[in-house]
């Protein structure tokens, strides 16, 4: 829930934890539903226990309608401008791409671009400025297509990249 609050700032409902191996699992993220209506799946969080305290961390978030194709998860990228590309859909085709320092709510940059509208996911590109990121820092790249409804995060995906040394 910390990831959702810090990265999306949205009200969501988390599904049941689905274990993988002994240190990993998945959890679905749902919209809260309009007026108490039907919940809609928005993403699947990939979780892993890490660190000396075995804390739970979100490694990525995946959604078939909103994806990041470049860069790839885990890529080492130079501090500077990074071109993010993929497919997405959003209300009136609006798609928001953000870079956030992993484990914090510190936003490094944000770009609003266009993808598909309604049911169609279409290609998007966005340039993000990561010059403020320190070498060795893990940055989460997030893409989110809004729904036009307050409190609903819309379809979203997130991948980690590392700023090159």
């Amino acid at each position: 829930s910390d990831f959702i609050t810090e990265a999306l700032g949205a009200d969501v409902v988390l599904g049941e934890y689905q274990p993988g191996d002994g240190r990993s699992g998945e959890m679905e993220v749902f919209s809260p539903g309009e007026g108490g209506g039907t919940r809609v799946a928005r993403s699947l969080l990939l979780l892993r226990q890490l660190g000396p305290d075995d804390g739970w961390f979100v490694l990525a978030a995946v959604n078939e309608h909103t994806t990041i194709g470049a860069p790839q998860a885990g890529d080492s990228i130079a501090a500077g401008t990074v071109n993010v590309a993929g497919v997405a859909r959003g209300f009136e085709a609006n798609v928001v791409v953000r870079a956030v320092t992993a484990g914090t709510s510190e936003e490094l940059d944000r770009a609003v671009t266009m993808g598909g509208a309604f049911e169609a996911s279409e290609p998007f590109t966005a340039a993000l400025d990561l010059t403020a990121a320190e070498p060795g820092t893990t940055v989460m790249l997030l893409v989110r297509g809004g729904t036009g409804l307050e409190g609903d995060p819309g379809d979203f995906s997130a991948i980690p990249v590392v700023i090159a040394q």
Side-chain angles (χ1 to χ4, degrees), residues 107-129:
E107 183 175 86
L108 297 167
D109 199 13
R110 167 190 303 242
V112 178
T113 187
M114 303 292 282
F118 305 108
E119 297 295 317
S121 295
E122 294 187 21
F124 74 87
T125 59
L128 297 177
D129 181 3

Side-chain angles (χ1 to χ4, degrees), residues 76-79 134-137 162-165:
S76 179
I77 60 174
E134 296 291 325
T137 301
V162 178
I163 303 301
Q165 296 283 353

Side-chain angles (χ1 to χ4, degrees), residues 23 48-57:
R23 299 179 61 80
R48 181 95 179 141
Q49 278 185 299
L50 299 169
D53 296 333
D54 283 335
W56 285 97
F57 291 84

